[in-house]
Amino acid sequence: MVYAFTEAQKQEIESLGLKVIELKRVMRKMSEWAERVNQCFKEWVDRVTRELSEICVGWNKLCDMIDDLALAFEEFKFDCQYSTSTRYKVTYFLSKCTGIEKKCIWRQLRPAYYARSNC
């Protein structure tokens, strides 16, 4: 990078007690430092994004595991002839009609939680 100063700027720099060459050297070091900070920041952002994506994958697996346990519990209640949830009744009916696995239908019928509006 080339730093060019006019004569007026040179006079102003020298009035501060610096030489133009020293100022250019300091500016070059500062730009190199800023470049290193920028590179470190990019690496940090990449690492954080990678970790968050792994956490999200883990969270989804945990939700699926809990959902599978809920399905097993509902099947147990159905086998023991206890009252089951509406979600399981729909799952059971659709699995009988379509032949699709209960687990697939159960996951598709997972409830969606929406934000509450206080308007």
Side-chain angles (χ1 to χ4, degrees), residues 55-99:
I55 288 171
C56 289
V57 168
W59 177 256
N60 289 338
K61 287 182 181 178
L62 178 68
C63 288
D64 289 342
M65 185 180 71
I66 292 171
D67 216 18
D68 292 343
L69 287 173
L71 175 63
F73 184 69
E74 290 291 332
E75 287 178 342
F76 175 74
K77 285 183 4 182
F78 181 76
D79 291 341
C80 294
Q81 297 177 349
Y82 290 117
S83 63
T84 57
S85 66
T86 310
R87 181 179 170 198
Y88 182 76
K89 290 175 185 173
V90 171
T91 302
Y92 181 77
F93 177 76
L94 288 176
S95 69
K96 287 290 183 186
C97 292
T98 60

Side-chain angles (χ1 to χ4, degrees), residues 22-70:
E22 290 175 359
L23 182 66
K24 286 183 178 182
R25 181 178 55 81
V26 168
M27 289 174 67
R28 191 171 296 115
K29 283 189 176 186
M30 286 178 61
S31 68
E32 290 171 0
W33 178 81
E35 192 63 37
R36 284 192 304 242
V37 167
N38 190 19
Q39 183 64 30
C40 289
F41 184 72
K42 284 181 182 178
E43 291 173 4
W44 181 79
V45 167
D46 291 340
R47 190 177 315 146
V48 167
T49 334
R50 194 175 331 112
E51 292 296 325
L52 285 176
S53 67
E54 289 176 10
I55 288 171
C56 289
V57 168
W59 177 256
N60 289 338
K61 287 182 181 178
L62 178 68
C63 288
D64 289 342
M65 185 180 71
I66 292 171
D67 216 18
D68 292 343
L69 287 173

